[in-house]
Amino acid sequence: MFIPNLLSTESGSESIVRARIVIVEDEPDLRDAVAEYLGAAGYDVVTAESAAAARSLVETQSFHLAILDIAMPGEDGLSLGRWLRSRLPIGIIYATAAGTALDRIVGLELGADDYIVKPYELREVLARVRSVLRRVPQPQEPQGKKASTDRRSVAFGPFQADLDGRLVTGVNGAVIDMAKSEFDVLEVFLTRANRLLTRAAISEAIGFTEDPESSRAVDIRIMRLRKKIETDPANPKFLRTVRGEGYIFSLPTGDGN
């Protein structure tokens, strides 16, 4: 049975942190319907009718996931999403009207974890929420609870990727700003280094269904990754394209652990 919470272990027992979701939608009926459905599924749900109201909520509360309507009066969802990402390690799902492919592509380029198209089925919303929350960083264990030697980490070039802490550092330990969706793809490559991965395999590994939009989403995330880890993104050293086949992450033997 699926448990819609983020779990950590403490003293041999489960310490449950309910996943908190904020829904930002200017259509009251739709907003309330989604909130009621997700609430019945066991999530802690808060709603806001505008970006301004959402900003006020974030001043006093934290969230694991935001569902943002792109086309809202005043500040739109894309702008709000950028602001949220600057404040919280939060998953973001954009809601967009049917047929507006440009909005979906822009949202993915800005670091969205997923999107839903209106009008949408509530069961689909729940499935996408579950998929994104599986990729949201788990609450950190108390200091000293887990030895640092147990952490999974991979070194490549000047970078060090802490796969458990979901953190990438570069020269002199500088933290590389990376959206969760970007780290998801990087983790897939680092745990399958030196292997050819098709778009379908990458999509499956990060919880996407394989369709043209998913393939485009994978390509966008890879493009953003290259800008952050490659000296020359047009001629990548690590994340290389195999024309007509997919991608391969070149990692010298002996790197990582």
Side-chain angles (χ1 to χ4, degrees):
M1 179 178 180
F2 180 83
I3 301 175
N5 298 300
L6 305 179
L7 304 179
S8 60
T9 302
E10 186 172 348
S11 301
S13 63
E14 287 183 340
S15 174
I16 299 177
V17 180
R18 287 173 62 86
R20 291 179 54 77
I21 302 172
V22 59
I23 300 170
V24 188
E25 168 63 62
D26 65 310
E27 297 180 35
D29 292 343
L30 181 57
R31 181 175 68 240
D32 293 344
V34 176
E36 181 178 356
Y37 193 83
L38 294 180
Y43 296 105
D44 188 355
V45 182
V46 178
T47 64
E49 72 280 4
S50 66
R55 285 175 178 257
S56 295
L57 287 173
V58 172
E59 294 299 330
T60 57
Q61 303 179 52
S62 62
F63 300 95
H64 299 99
L65 174 68
I67 301 176
L68 309 178
D69 182 20
I70 289 181
M72 294 186 293
E75 183 182 8
D76 63 29
L78 296 174
S79 173
L80 176 61
R82 287 195 300 269
W83 182 81
L84 286 172
R85 272 276 161 75
S86 72
R87 301 290 297 269
L88 297 170
I90 190 171
I92 293 178
I93 298 176
Y94 283 119
T96 183
T100 53
L102 179 60
D103 281 347
R104 296 198 294 273
I105 291 171
V106 171
L108 291 169
E109 289 175 342
L110 291 176
D113 295 288
D114 208 342
Y115 64 87
I116 47 180
V117 179
K118 297 181 181 181
Y120 42 73
E121 293 287 340
L122 292 176
R123 287 178 298 178
E124 179 189 0
V125 177
L126 178 59
R128 292 182 181 273
V129 164
R130 288 174 172 174
S131 176
V132 172
L133 284 175
R134 281 195 291 268
R135 307 195 297 268
V136 170
Q138 299 287 310
Q140 294 296 310
E141 296 185 33
Q143 188 172 6
K145 192 73 177 178
K146 184 178 182 180
S148 59
T149 54
D150 291 337
R151 299 186 76 88
R152 297 178 303 145
S153 64
V154 180
F156 57 102
F159 302 101
Q160 186 79 27
D162 179 351
L163 300 184
D164 293 318
R166 296 179 64 84
L167 182 71
V168 179
T169 53
V171 178
N172 297 323
V175 174
I176 307 301
D177 183 21
M178 194 168 290
K180 287 186 292 301
S181 57
E182 297 165 10
F183 192 94
D184 291 339
V185 174
L186 178 62
E187 183 174 13
V188 170
F189 281 115
L190 291 180
T191 55
R192 300 163 177 82
N194 302 317
R195 291 166 50 186
L196 175 64
L197 299 179
T198 64
R199 289 179 178 82
I202 299 167
S203 294
E204 181 180 358
I206 63 177
F208 282 172
T209 56
E210 173 58 12
D211 56 35
E213 288 290 350
S214 294
S215 294
R216 172 63 173 157
V218 167
D219 290 340
I220 289 172
R221 283 159 171 75
I222 288 173
M223 177 185 67
R224 294 203 310 259
L225 267 177
R226 283 175 171 161
K227 291 180 179 179
K228 297 180 179 182
I229 66 172
E230 300 284 1
T231 302
D232 181 3
N235 297 285
K237 172 185 176 183
F238 303 114
L239 215 174
R240 298 186 293 109
T241 299
V242 180
R243 189 174 299 277
E245 298 290 338
Y247 298 96
I248 187 168
F249 196 98
S250 297
L251 193 65
T253 304
D255 277 15
N257 67 341

